[in-house]
Amino acid sequence: MAMKKAKRMAAFSASVFAELAAYRKQRHHLHDEWIDLSVGSPDLPPAPFVREALARYAHEPNAYGYTLKGIREFHEAVAEYYRTSHGVTLDPETEVTYVIGSQDGLVHLPIVFADPGDVILLPDPGYPAYAAGVAMAEAEPYFLPLKEENGFLPDLGAIPEEIAKRAVIMFLNFPGNPVPAMATESFYREVVEFAKRYNVLVVSDFAYGELYYDGNKPVSFLSVPGAKDVGVEINSLSKSYHMAGCRVGYVCGNAEVIRAFAEFKSNLDYGIFWPIQKAAAEALRDGAPFCAQTRAIYQARRDALVSGLAEIGWHVDRPQAGMFVWAKIPDGFTSLSFTNELIDRAGVVVTPGHAFGPSGEGYVRIALVQPEEVLRRAVAKLSATGLFASSAARRR
């Protein structure tokens, strides 16, 4: 029997990571060691106290029922985290709700707030889940190019008036994925003004808010005056607390948005496993020292990789935050051809920039998801390809 797929499925295809895995499988015989720096999944475990809490609560005999709207303790922990970390006051009852990982919110919010034909403003390059949400809502994407000359911040003034009037949602992601750029308070003030003028819901993806370096703490969108009037911030414990498989996160901010989204969610799922929420609440309350240790680890990895690449002639920007390096590729390649070249000649896997949007062409994303010594071996393998020899020679 031939199964008919919905027309909306035309917007979905195999992920770039599946394609990379398939290509690597074809080339598996070329290298004894493979170093995968493509998928942005933390390689480190959660803090011991979080693992202990999860195991402890899982032994409770009453832990296995539905949690429905999320437990009060988790919502209160989110509110307390925002108060102490960002100076933001949140009502845990009306301005916080759970998500099953931040992707749950990123993909589903457009269904709640966009109709077919509405415009949704997306960062370009940007996290692929944004486009997935647009497709599910049958809305239209309008890409906001993140250009190096603008500090990788979108130029709101360049948005055509007719597009701004049709826009209903704007996604922002700072510190970003794949571009680890940092937003300024002045930029966020401009965003608030734009959102109020055109009645646009702002969704700030703050997944990397705890992964910052050299003491340069990112600005929370909600900390800017007027932000709660126009938007929400979404976060998870996947990256900062290494709880990716637990699928626990939150949306916070505008109470009207939270209420509508929670109503939608009540028709989709029955909450997050109670022990996970309890452990997540402990992580948010007591995890500051752990986050500081994590930052030190990632900063050391960043320095090892960026300095090593510079030595072989590949000069890339040193990220101020996030868990990625956004690297401009040498002339003569596309992002995909360069990625395949690294697989074939070095056994090093990175992500081609075009996978994140049109403006990603000419770049690759390198994830800091391996220990320093593995990153140094990756640099040595890249050096052996000879792809960067002429640049290194000119530098000397």
Side-chain angles (χ1 to χ4, degrees), residues 18 37 41 70 81 91 146 159 175 190 213 263-264 289 327 332 370 387 390:
L37 306 177
S41 180
Y81 167 77
D91 183 334
L146 307 182
I159 300 172
E190 184 183 350
Y213 312 123
E263 181 180 347
F264 172 77
Q370 298 285 356
L387 288 169
S390 59

Side-chain angles (χ1 to χ4, degrees), residues 78 82 88-91 94-97 202 221-222 227-234 250-259:
V78 172
Y82 263 79
V88 174
T89 300
L90 294 170
D91 183 334
T94 63
E95 296 180 328
V96 179
T97 193
V202 178
F221 174 68
L222 293 184
K228 275 204 295 184
D229 297 335
V230 300
V232 294
E233 197 148 73
I234 187 166
Y250 54 85
V251 183
C252 56
N254 184 278
E256 183 180 351
V257 173
I258 297 301
R259 180 171 60 252

Side-chain angles (χ1 to χ4, degrees), residues 96 107 268 332:
V96 179
V107 172
L268 291 186

Side-chain angles (χ1 to χ4, degrees), residues 47-99:
F49 78 89
V50 172
R51 303 200 303 272
E52 291 165 5
L54 187 58
R56 182 171 69 253
Y57 292 124
H59 278 286
E60 294 288 335
N62 297 323
Y64 292 84
Y66 295 134
T67 57
L68 299 177
K69 295 187 297 182
I71 65 173
R72 173 82 182 187
E73 183 181 350
F74 176 62
H75 290 192
E76 289 177 341
V78 172
E80 177 64 13
Y81 167 77
Y82 263 79
R83 185 187 67 81
T84 58
S85 294
H86 302 291
V88 174
T89 300
L90 294 170
D91 183 334
E93 188 67 32
T94 63
E95 296 180 328
V96 179
T97 193
Y98 77 92
V99 285

Side-chain angles (χ1 to χ4, degrees), residues 37 43-44 180 182 211-217 294-311 314-326 366-376 379:
L37 306 177
D43 61 309
L44 300 167
M182 300 271 272
L211 290 179
Y212 58 91
Y213 312 123
D214 306 310
N216 297 316
K217 186 174 182 177
T294 296
R295 285 193 291 273
I297 291 171
Y298 276 106
Q299 182 167 324
R301 291 179 177 186
R302 176 203 68 174
D303 292 343
L305 179 63
V306 172
S307 298
L309 293 178
E311 285 298 315
W314 191 6
H315 301 282
V316 302
D317 290 338
R318 191 178 299 268
Q320 295 179 297
M323 57 190 300
F324 306 105
V325 171
W326 187 238
I366 308 173
L368 302 171
V369 292
Q370 298 285 356
E372 288 178 62
E373 60 270 20
V374 177
L375 293 174
R376 291 191 179 96
V379 170

Side-chain angles (χ1 to χ4, degrees), residues 108-109 111-112 259-269:
H108 287 136
L109 277 165
I111 297 176
V112 182
R259 180 171 60 252
F261 184 67
E263 181 180 347
F264 172 77
K265 287 274 290 173
S266 71
N267 290 276
L268 291 186
D269 59 65

Side-chain angles (χ1 to χ4, degrees), residues 24-182:
R24 171 181 164 176
K25 186 176 181 180
Q26 296 173 6
R27 302 295 197 271
H28 73 278
H29 60 284
L30 296 178
H31 305 283
D32 293 330
E33 180 188 28
W34 289 85
I35 298 178
D36 194 339
L37 306 177
S38 62
V39 181
S41 180
D43 61 309
L44 300 167
F49 78 89
V50 172
R51 303 200 303 272
E52 291 165 5
L54 187 58
R56 182 171 69 253
Y57 292 124
H59 278 286
E60 294 288 335
N62 297 323
Y64 292 84
Y66 295 134
T67 57
L68 299 177
K69 295 187 297 182
I71 65 173
R72 173 82 182 187
E73 183 181 350
F74 176 62
H75 290 192
E76 289 177 341
V78 172
E80 177 64 13
Y81 167 77
Y82 263 79
R83 185 187 67 81
T84 58
S85 294
H86 302 291
V88 174
T89 300
L90 294 170
D91 183 334
E93 188 67 32
T94 63
E95 296 180 328
V96 179
T97 193
Y98 77 92
V99 285
I100 305 175
S102 60
Q103 189 150 321
D104 171 12
L106 297 172
V107 172
H108 287 136
L109 277 165
I111 297 176
V112 182
F113 295 101
D115 287 316
D118 284 341
V119 169
I120 297 179
L121 306 174
L122 303 179
D124 170 32
Y127 185 48
Y130 308 147
V134 173
M136 289 179 68
E138 299 181 43
E140 296 180 14
Y142 183 85
F143 294 105
L144 305 177
L146 307 182
K147 298 181 179 179
E148 186 175 4
E149 56 265 31
N150 294 333
F152 293 108
L153 298 176
D155 181 0
L156 302 185
I159 300 172
E161 184 76 8
E162 63 271 20
I163 293 295
K165 289 180 176 178
R166 292 176 55 206
V168 294
I169 301 174
M170 175 193 292
F171 281 98
L172 298 173
N173 178 209
F174 300 105
N177 173 15
V179 185
M182 300 271 272

